[in-house]
Every structure is written in C-alpha cells, then in structure tokens.
Amino acid sequence: MTDHNVPRLSGRPVDELIDRLRDDLIAEILDRLAAVLPVYATLPRSHVEAEVRRACTRGIRLFASALRCGELDDRALQHARRGAARRAEDSVPLGQLVAAYCLGVEICHDRLMQLARPEDLATVLDLQRLSLRFLREVSAALAEGYAETHELLRDDEMARRHALLDALLSGDDVDAAATRAGARLPVGYFVLAIGFRLETDPEIDIAVLARRTARQIRQELGRHLPGSVLSRLSETGGVVLVPLDRLDPAEEEWDRLQRLVGTAGRVARARLTVAAVPAGIDAVGDAAHLAEELLELVGLLGRGPGVHRLDDMALEYQLTRHTPARPKLAAALAPLADDPDLLVTLRTYLAEALSRRRTADQLGVHPNTVDNRLRRVSALTGLDVARGVDLPLITAALAALPS
C-alpha cells in the first residue's frame, strides 16, 4: 500500500491519529502491561519508565508505519528482532513479549475505533486486516530474534552447568565452577545413574526417539527441581545430581525421589531404572562410580524400573566383588549356560518375590511354563527354588555370574 491510499478515519490518516494519541497510548499500555502480564509487574519501576517505555514507543511507531505502508519493511523487522534479543537477555518469556505486542495493537485499535463513524466501515475492515498482518509479521520477527539470543544464552548456561558437573565428578575446583555457574552448592546430592528402556514407536526413528526421551527426562526433573538439578543424559541414560539438604536422607526423601523418577518416566514414556547414592560434595565422583556399578547389578538381577539403593542389594553387591569365591559361586549355575530362557526365568522369579503368576506375566508365558523351567533348573543344578536353604546360594550365584 502506498502513501496516497493510507486508511483514514474521520477524514484523517490513521498513522497521524496514532502519532497524535501516542503519549496517551503509551501510558495506557504501560498500565495494562503490569496488570495483565506477570513478568512486567516484577520489573523495577525505573526499568519500566526507561527501557519498556522506549520499547512501547518503538512498537507504536512500527504499527503506525505498517498502517501507512501496508506492511513492515526489512529495517523495521530487524528493529523488532533486536528488541526481542534484548528481552531474551532480560529473561522476559517469549510468550509474554508477543502478548505485549498484541496488547499494544489491541489498545491502539480500540482507540482508533472510538474515532470511527458509520461511513468509515470500509476503513475499519481494512484496519483489522492490516492489524492482523502486522501481528503476523512482527511475531515472526520477534520469535527469530528471541530464539537466536536465547539459544546462545542457554548454550552458555548449559556449558557452565556441565563444567560444574564435571568438577563435582572429578573433585577439581568445585567452588570456582559453582561461582561461574552462579550456583549455590547444597550439602550434598543424590547421585543417580539412570538407564531407560523406550516404549518404541514404529513411526519414529529410534535415535530420534532416544534423544527426545533424554530431553523430556531432563525437562521433567528440572520442572520439579528448577535450576538445581545437574544432568548429563545420552540416548541410553547417564548421570543426574539431585540436591540434598542432609547427607543421610530420611525415608520421605527417598519416597520423593521415587515419585519424581516415576513421574519423569511416565512423561517421557520410558521405563527408568535408577541407582541412587547419597553423597557429600567431596564424594560425588566416588558415588557416581558406585551408582554405575549398582545400576549394572540391577540389570544382572533382573530387577524392574524405579529407584534402587545399596541398602536394597548390599549382599548381592558384596558377592559381585572380585574374590576367589566368586568363580565358584558362578559355577553353581554353569549348567544353565546353554539355555538362556532358564536363567531369565530364574532371575525374574526371584525379582518377582517367588510369584509364578507375576513371573509368567513378565515373561509373556503360561504359569505352567514357569514351573517347567524351574524344575529344569533344579534338575540341571541340584538347586531348588522351593527349598529355602538353596535360595541364598541361588541369589549369590546369579550375582556372581559374569555380566
């Protein structure tokens, strides 16, 4: 649209009307911003009076220019992108930034409509079309400018948090890394070794699904513990540090961790298996190594998803240490080596607290099949799961088997 067909209300070009009303429009927008959009109510009054007022002035000028020209030129759009980048640096959410522009257009439009006469109907319809076009173009520009800066800020923050995680795991320069990350160190952490099994989707590439699952787990943990969880997750699992207020967590803290892991698994649609070890700041590295060993042991024992701790499998853990007795224990189940189904059934049966029905459900077989396999185990090894005295030896032999 060129200058000679600028929309007119009451015989005057709408861009001139906006210019004449500019001070009143800015005052109303500033009052409404604080009332309608939460982030603007939290900003210091001096910031609102200076930076936000300037942004309102620029926004009104952009709107007036769009009404005059019929569109926003590249220079105006670049201006909007730079403004969005500054809002990203101020941590103003993108949604509220776009909402602020929509509010400004709404207020300008309402004030113009107060000047409209019956014969201005065609102009009113034209203004609605131009307003929507302005919001479409400026919203795209805001999103582009915001996303670019936000990505840089996020990458920088993530790099500092990963550096803190590395420092905690290695024990080097932890205080300096915490200062750079702007983090206040807790008394200690739940050190989590996490593994997950995906609920596969035939329409999604498995690598893409795994990366999405890892991201969803991070997001869910961060949602419940904002700004305090440190994590490094790959497509199969990884390490997560959850802050602790005490080094000997009470049962309710373990229960809270169990609920958190369960929620994260449901959101990510994955079966999360977690080994958790509480540790002080100076023992995070050792705790991470222990948690990885426990997670491996959970897999060997066929235990299900959820949170597992050393107290739950202290005997099995001790039995897996390399001593002269370990090969002898493993040899007790050597006759089962040629039939993997027997070992899987035996592990599952113990993990399901000697319930043949739950074992059958887990394996997808009939309960009679479970009975037949357990009798076969007894015939090959001389060890009977129905004989109480044999259970400790069977458990120890399973734990001693090579991984």
Side-chain angles (χ1 to χ4, degrees):
M1 185 179 293
T2 57
D3 288 346
H4 68 273
N5 55 6
V6 175
R8 290 174 172 266
L9 288 174
S10 301
R12 299 191 61 178
V14 291
D15 58 314
E16 292 183 9
L17 292 173
I18 289 177
D19 188 60
R20 181 164 63 94
L21 296 169
R22 186 171 57 205
D23 290 343
D24 289 344
L25 290 170
I26 291 172
E28 184 174 354
I29 291 171
L30 290 176
D31 286 341
R32 293 276 301 279
L33 279 177
V36 176
L37 301 176
V39 70
Y40 288 93
T42 66
L43 295 175
R45 189 63 192 175
S46 58
H47 185 83
V48 173
E49 288 296 333
E51 184 66 18
V52 179
R53 178 178 289 275
R54 284 195 295 271
C56 286
T57 302
R58 288 192 297 267
I60 289 173
R61 286 174 177 166
L62 287 177
F63 184 52
S65 174
L67 296 182
R68 182 176 65 252
C69 303
E71 60 185 1
L72 284 170
D73 59 29
D74 289 341
R75 183 178 177 184
L77 291 173
Q78 187 59 36
H79 199 76
R81 292 187 189 97
R82 288 197 297 269
R86 288 193 291 271
R87 299 294 80 76
E89 292 171 348
D90 293 339
S91 298
V92 174
L94 176 59
Q96 295 203 29
L97 175 60
V98 174
Y101 268 83
C102 292
L103 178 63
V105 169
E106 177 188 339
I107 289 171
C108 291
H109 191 274
D110 287 348
R111 292 295 293 271
L112 289 174
M113 292 305 98
Q114 293 173 13
L115 302 174
R117 300 177 300 194
E119 58 267 28
D120 292 327
L121 177 59
T123 297
V124 169
L125 296 176
D126 202 20
L127 283 175
Q128 290 177 338
R129 179 182 61 82
L130 291 171
S131 296
L132 289 173
R133 182 172 184 177
F134 171 82
L135 287 176
R136 183 192 70 200
E137 293 181 353
V138 80
S139 295
L142 293 173
E144 290 170 2
Y146 191 98
E148 182 177 347
T149 298
H150 185 263
E151 189 78 17
L152 292 173
L153 293 172
R154 189 188 67 178
D155 288 349
D156 185 50
E157 179 185 6
M158 186 173 293
R160 292 196 300 268
R161 291 175 65 80
H162 279 174
L164 175 57
L165 176 58
D166 289 340
L168 286 162
L169 291 172
S170 67
D172 296 334
D173 298 324
V174 173
D175 290 335
T179 299
R180 287 191 293 271
R184 182 178 179 182
L185 291 173
V187 171
Y189 289 96
F190 271 129
V191 181
L192 311 182
I194 294 183
F196 55 80
R197 192 166 64 195
L198 302 176
E199 296 180 15
T200 57
D201 186 332
E203 296 184 358
I204 303 178
D205 181 85
I206 188 64
V208 173
L209 184 61
R211 289 194 297 271
R212 179 185 300 172
T213 300
R215 186 186 70 250
Q216 289 173 331
I217 293 169
R218 284 195 301 269
Q219 289 175 338
E220 189 63 18
L221 294 174
R223 188 172 73 83
H224 288 275
L225 299 164
S228 56
V229 172
L230 300 173
S231 66
R232 180 177 287 117
L233 294 175
S234 68
E235 288 82 357
T236 57
V239 61
V240 174
L241 305 186
V242 176
L244 278 174
D245 294 328
R246 49 189 288 185
L247 294 182
D248 53 340
E251 280 303 313
E252 54 263 28
E253 292 176 271
W254 284 101
D255 291 342
R256 176 170 172 255
L257 179 64
Q258 187 78 261
R259 290 193 299 271
L260 178 60
V261 168
T263 300
R266 286 191 295 274
V267 169
R269 297 178 62 192
R271 291 166 60 86
L272 298 188
T273 304
V274 176
V277 178
I281 296 298
D282 58 350
V284 168
D286 291 338
H289 180 68
L290 174 57
E292 290 172 358
E293 291 181 327
L294 292 176
L295 184 63
E296 181 181 3
L297 181 57
V298 168
L300 288 173
L301 297 175
R303 302 205 175 170
V307 177
H308 302 270
R309 44 180 162 168
L310 181 59
D311 290 358
D312 300 329
M313 43 187 173
L315 173 61
E316 294 89 343
Y317 178 77
Q318 186 60 40
L319 291 171
T320 58
R321 301 308 88 198
H322 292 283
T323 69
R326 183 176 177 182
K328 296 182 181 297
L329 286 170
L333 297 180
L336 308 183
D338 294 334
D339 194 338
D341 286 343
L342 296 183
L343 273 175
V344 170
T345 300
L346 186 57
R347 283 198 177 101
T348 306
Y349 186 67
L350 294 181
E352 294 298 333
L354 310 185
S355 169
R356 60 192 288 273
R357 185 164 299 279
R358 290 203 300 272
T359 300
D361 290 342
Q362 285 292 327
L363 298 177
V365 299
H366 193 277
N368 289 343
T369 301
V370 174
D371 290 337
N372 291 334
R373 290 179 181 178
L374 293 177
R375 281 195 290 269
R376 180 69 176 153
V377 167
S378 180
L380 289 171
T381 65
L383 300 172
D384 188 349
V385 293
R387 195 163 53 229
V389 69
D390 286 349
L391 278 176
L393 180 57
I394 293 171
T395 302
L398 282 172
L401 286 174
S403 57

